[in-house]
Amino acid sequence: MRAGFIFKEIIQGLKRNASMVVSVVLVTFISLTFVGTASLLQLQIGQMKNYWYDRAQVAVYMCTDVSPSDTCPQGGASADLIAAVEQRLGSPTLQPYIEKFYFENHDQAYKTFQDQFEGNAVAKYVTPEQLNETFWINLKDATKSQIITESFSGVAGVEEVRDQRTYLDQIFSILNAASIAAIAIASLMLVSAALLISTTIRLSAFSRRRELGIMRLVGASNFYIQLPFILEGVVAATIGSVLAGGAVVAIVQFFVQGYLAQQLPFTSFVGLADGLLVVPILIGAGMLLAAAASGLAIRRYLKI
Amino acid sequence: MISIANVTKQYKGSAKPALDNVSLEIEKGEFVFLVGASGSGKSSLMRLMLREDVPTKGAVHVLGENLIGIPSRRVPYFRRKLGVVFQDFRLLTNKTVAQNVAFSLEVIGKSQGFIQQAVPDVLRLVGLEGKENRLPTELSGGEQQRVALARAIVNKPSILLADEPTGNLDPTTSQEIMALIERINLSGTTVIMATHDRNIVDRLQKRVVELNGGVIIRDQLGAGYQKSQTGANPIIEGGFFN
Ligand SMILES: Nc1ncnc2c1ncn2[C@@H]1O[C@H](COP(=O)(O)OP(=O)(O)OP(=O)(O)O)[C@@H](O)[C@H]1O
Ligand SMILES: [Mg+2]
């Protein structure tokens, strides 16, 4: 196998189809940037899930004087009822599931509320008594919130049991839908990239059909005949995927870390390390896609 | 060397077979003319020998290879042992004479050292010394066919298949090309040549295989273009079939 000859053939092929090659580069660039962004979004969702699910708590809201009477017929929860809930939380049946729990009384709830809604008109009208006294529970396994819900729903003095994860799940399902949409678009673009690559290679093979005929006549092996074409597609797609990798890293560095992370400092975002993790995958995917697409395209010309 | 046994070739979509129960044995070093009217199946037969096509029925053995069962990845290596020339030369117009010949060696992975040695040698052999750097468009038809011959024999094939190699050439040039092909044959290469050129066949008095409608109607040693009673050593005479 003579590398010099193969190399010469590739350069010639790339030159001959310059405009097609440029479009292959652009299409792989854009489609893989999409793929990269979609995978970063998935990583981001994973990261946020980890972060927030760890902090998500189950809240057992005790009745207040203003609670609706169908759940709280007896009005505000008495000290006895509160003590009963606390005892139950500490009981051997629930103990194994609970990491820790603490009680928030009216005054603490009021303080938290005032902090959260500082400057908001509602902060002025609310009184400590209107806010629920609450047991905040951290579970050992956040997915087992059902146990708490079942144990305390309908218990006297308990207004509601709420798993904070249900709020998070809504947010995540929206983000998830967005990333699935991005992946779907990316796949369509990858399909068009593959088709474009195979068209380009077919064109390249057509313009070299005399050479191909002679190569077959004098007994060039299929491998030798295919290689320049496959490499031609791979070279073009690799340029596109390297550009896509650069774009993904730039998005992480300048948009996510440089802008989003500044705007929303309390959330953790994907970092450069995640971006750099995606780059080799993109390049690998681009090369594989091109090799497969051009390999299939050139096959027709190899029939003996 | 070449053994064709009861071969029938039926192309898709045509009613009559291009070759009909053809059998033929060719020994090493032989010179065989394939003659017959247009469409009689000469090229079809050569395509089978080159494994460009497979017969509908029958067996083809060339250089010890069973061309029916040969795996397609082995076909290129088989073809390296054959040289082929055509009426239309099939040169690469964007490459020089030397590059055309070198190309056929490059694509079978020969070393640069071998190529630099072999190309000038073969170009001298076919009489193209001093024209190495010309493009095919700057050559006469005879010279172009010399380039094609150089390309066909540069890898020292055991068999040369020539499909109407003089079809586009004037009589004088044809004679020069035939002299070259005879020399190639004398050096031990088996030559199978399809032709319509009556003069050439008559002059050389080699083995002649005549096809008619896909059937061999004559296979005669030391014969001319047309069946003659005086031809020595008739293997099959025309009358045999009549
Ligand atoms: N690829 C093909 N598909 C279908 N039919 C074909 C094909 N090649 C040849 N034929 C038919 O097979 C028959 C024999 O053709 P072939 O080319 O072998 O003749 P030939 O003797 O070489 O003729 P010529 O002297 O004109 O070159 C013809 O009837 C031709 O039409
Ligand atoms: Mg023919």
Side-chain angles (χ1 to χ4, degrees):
Chain A
M1 181 70 28
R2 297 206 12 265
F5 174 73
I6 299 271
F7 186 71
K8 209 172 67 194
E9 289 284 305
I10 299 167
I11 297 289
Q12 268 179 18
L14 291 175
K15 267 197 211 148
R16 199 166 344 205
N17 294 315
S19 67
M20 286 300 269
V21 169
V22 168
S23 55
V24 168
V25 169
L26 288 178
V27 169
T28 39
F29 167 40
I30 292 166
S31 58
L32 287 175
T33 304
F34 242 87
V35 173
T37 314
S39 16
L40 280 180
L41 191 50
Q42 274 295 327
L43 280 177
Q44 177 67 39
I45 292 169
Q47 197 157 335
M48 280 164 72
K49 267 188 180 157
N50 273 341
Y51 183 87
W52 288 110
Y53 277 4
D54 273 359
R55 282 159 185 75
Q57 294 170 315
V58 180
V60 178
Y61 293 109
M62 304 307 293
C63 293
T64 64
D65 294 335
V66 295
S67 295
S69 56
D70 51 337
T71 47
C72 297
Q74 76 289 359
S78 64
D80 285 348
L81 288 175
I82 292 170
V85 168
E86 178 159 11
Q87 201 198 0
R88 193 146 171 190
L89 281 170
S91 72
T93 16
L94 292 180
Q95 194 82 71
Y97 301 104
I98 293 172
E99 168 104 20
K100 63 169 200 230
F101 70 91
Y102 59 88
F103 181 67
E104 187 181 54
N105 64 25
H106 289 305
D107 290 333
Q108 288 161 337
Y110 182 71
K111 196 171 171 301
T112 315
F113 189 89
Q114 291 296 336
D115 284 348
Q116 245 169 36
F117 292 93
E118 203 181 335
N120 193 316
V122 72
K124 272 189 258 170
Y125 301 110
V126 87
T127 63
E129 281 65 38
Q130 289 170 334
L131 296 171
N132 296 83
E133 293 177 298
T134 312
F135 283 98
W136 290 104
I137 303 157
N138 290 64
L139 293 173
K140 286 202 170 112
D141 177 356
T143 59
K144 297 245 166 72
S145 62
Q146 189 95 33
I147 289 165
I148 305 294
T149 318
E150 275 163 12
S151 305
F152 293 101
S153 295
V155 168
V158 173
E159 184 180 341
E160 194 189 357
V161 182
R162 184 112 215 185
D163 183 356
Q164 285 185 322
R165 284 205 324 154
T166 54
Y167 300 117
L168 293 176
D169 283 342
Q170 275 172 20
I171 297 169
F172 288 138
S173 71
I174 292 169
L175 284 175
N176 223 3
S179 89
I180 286 171
I183 287 170
I185 295 171
S187 328
L188 278 180
M189 290 170 95
L190 282 180
V191 169
S192 72
L195 290 176
L196 189 65
I197 290 170
S198 79
T199 308
T200 305
I201 294 307
R202 220 163 255 166
L203 213 69
S204 183
F206 184 74
S207 68
R208 272 189 268 176
R209 62 194 180 286
R210 273 185 81 86
E211 272 103 322
L212 283 173
I214 288 164
M215 284 168 107
R216 288 185 36 210
L217 209 61
V218 300
S221 66
N222 281 350
F223 179 73
Y224 214 97
I225 297 176
Q226 285 182 61
L227 200 61
F229 292 99
I230 293 179
L231 288 182
E232 187 181 324
V234 170
V235 166
T238 306
I239 297 171
S241 10
V242 168
L243 289 177
V248 166
V249 168
I251 287 171
V252 171
Q253 181 70 357
F254 299 113
F255 178 67
V256 178
Q257 290 296 335
Y259 175 74
L260 280 184
Q262 309 300 318
Q263 298 294 307
L264 308 164
F266 48 83
T267 312
S268 94
F269 283 102
V270 286
L272 204 54
D274 301 297
L276 290 177
L277 187 78
V278 172
V279 172
I281 298 174
L282 291 185
I283 295 177
M287 291 170 84
L288 217 70
L289 182 81
S294 34
L296 281 177
I298 194 66
R299 231 170 144 159
R300 200 160 69 87
Y301 282 87
L302 295 176
K303 285 212 192 96
I304 308 241
Chain B
M1 168 134 288
I2 298 177
S3 158
I4 290 172
N6 306 103
V7 160
T8 297
K9 177 67 197 179
Q10 173 88 53
Y11 288 108
K12 271 197 213 89
S14 60
K16 218 175 138 292
L19 292 169
D20 192 357
N21 199 25
V22 167
S23 295
L24 185 64
E25 296 278 338
I26 296 171
E27 297 306 322
K28 184 169 162 42
E30 269 196 277
F31 195 126
V32 181
F33 282 117
L34 289 179
V35 300
S38 214
S40 57
K42 303 181 294 295
S43 298
S44 298
L45 189 57
M46 294 184 106
R47 284 163 48 79
L48 296 182
M49 295 177 188
L50 192 57
R51 183 48 173 80
E52 278 210 82
D53 216 334
V54 285
T56 318
K57 271 211 300 268
V60 181
H61 285 84
V62 177
L63 295 171
E65 291 277 8
N66 172 5
L67 295 191
I68 313 296
I70 186 173
S72 56
R73 87 193 125 73
R74 275 246 301 281
V75 171
Y77 300 92
F78 161 74
R79 287 197 185 139
R80 290 178 195 183
K81 297 185 260 179
L82 275 71
V84 202
V85 286
F86 301 94
Q87 181 174 3
D88 59 357
F89 320 132
R90 306 213 182 159
L91 301 176
L92 296 174
T93 48
N94 58 342
K95 290 190 192 308
T96 65
V97 167
Q99 283 168 348
N100 262 286
V101 179
F103 180 78
S104 69
L105 293 173
E106 279 168 342
V107 299
I108 57 171
K110 292 285 184 191
S111 74
Q112 202 57 252
F114 177 85
I115 294 171
Q116 272 162 11
Q117 179 101 55
V119 173
D121 278 357
V122 77
L123 288 179
R124 202 175 312 125
L125 184 74
V126 299
L128 283 174
E129 241 173 333
K131 301 196 170 133
E132 295 86 351
N133 296 322
R134 298 250 196 113
L135 290 170
T137 47
E138 301 164 351
L139 296 175
S140 72
E143 286 166 334
Q144 290 187 50
Q145 193 60 290
R146 284 170 194 268
V147 180
L149 273 168
R151 183 179 64 194
I153 61 170
V154 67
N155 200 27
K156 311 235 176 311
S158 315
I159 299 173
L160 177 67
L161 298 176
D163 196 349
E164 300 182 40
T166 60
N168 279 345
L169 305 176
D170 65 59
T172 319
T173 315
S174 295
Q175 282 203 20
E176 290 167 14
I177 292 297
M178 283 320 296
L180 193 53
I181 292 177
E182 273 196 272
R183 269 179 66 193
I184 293 166
N185 176 240
L186 281 176
S187 72
T189 306
T190 308
V191 175
I192 296 142
M193 171 170 160
T195 187
H196 291 292
D197 194 323
R198 169 185 301 267
N199 292 333
I200 288 174
V201 180
D202 284 343
R203 198 164 44 77
L204 266 61
Q205 292 292 308
K206 303 285 189 187
R207 178 175 171 190
V208 176
V209 173
E210 185 172 350
L211 285 160
N212 184 5
V215 177
I216 295 184
I217 56 165
R218 176 166 66 116
D219 186 344
Q220 201 169 15
L221 285 177
Y225 190 75
Q226 264 169 340
K227 180 188 173 267
S228 67
Q229 295 306 326
T230 54
N233 248 333
I235 296 173
I236 301 168
E237 290 198 27
F240 186 83
F241 287 92
N242 296 332

